[in-house]
Amino acid sequence: QVQLVESGGGLVQPGGSLRLSCKTSGFSLDDYAIGWFRQAPGKEREGVSCSRYSDGRTIYGDSVRGRFTVSTDTTTGTVHLQMNSLKFEDAAVYYCAADRATWCAYGVNYSAYDHWGQGTQVTVSS
């Protein structure tokens, strides 16, 4: 059974950093794409990143490129999203998602993933 559990959200000041984690189980990270998405109140869901461990490559959305970094720990089945230089507009609920048939060439905003976590809240406030 595929499961995804996010953690690491919280309150951070502008310019600060947070590291989100997506603990996966029930599948191999070699075989699935992992996407990070976020959704702020009143806004559409936005793609943050897409990675597929077997490709060794991650793509990022324009609004986070250069500030956010995805890393994969295959020993624990955990995908991390390191978020630096956080801005007010980064505040949202962040979700990780997994899908066997998705390829990152589809783009970060492709969201037809079969499996989603419950989300973790990121608040950016001074």
Side-chain angles (χ1 to χ4, degrees):
Q1 180 182 2
V2 173
Q3 288 191 319
L4 306 166
V5 179
E6 301 98 334
S7 63
L11 173 65
V12 63
Q13 292 185 338
S17 298
L18 275 179
R19 188 175 83 155
L20 306 184
S21 297
C22 175
K23 180 71 172 72
T24 72
S25 59
F27 65 98
S28 170
L29 286 168
D30 282 333
D31 298 329
Y32 280 65
I34 301 294
W36 281 97
F37 295 84
R38 66 187 183 184
Q39 189 163 21
K43 294 190 176 181
E44 292 189 356
R45 183 169 55 197
E46 177 186 6
V48 173
S49 68
C50 177
S51 57
R52 198 170 176 113
Y53 184 73
S54 57
D55 290 346
R57 177 173 172 258
T58 302
I59 60 172
Y60 298 93
D62 290 343
S63 60
V64 307
R65 190 178 299 115
R67 300 186 297 122
F68 290 13
T69 305
V70 170
S71 62
T72 301
D73 181 349
T74 56
T75 60
T76 61
T78 304
V79 180
H80 301 287
L81 180 67
Q82 177 66 42
M83 308 188 296
N84 298 329
S85 303
L86 283 161
K87 306 176 181 180
F88 289 117
E89 52 265 41
D90 293 318
V93 178
Y94 282 71
Y95 300 89
C96 62
D99 192 79
R100 189 182 184 98
T102 291
W103 296 90
C104 297
Y106 300 165
V108 291
N109 286 310
Y110 178 82
S111 61
Y113 287 71
D114 282 343
H115 309 283
W116 291 80
Q118 82 288 351
T120 186
Q121 177 74 51
V122 172
T123 302
V124 183
S125 175
S126 55

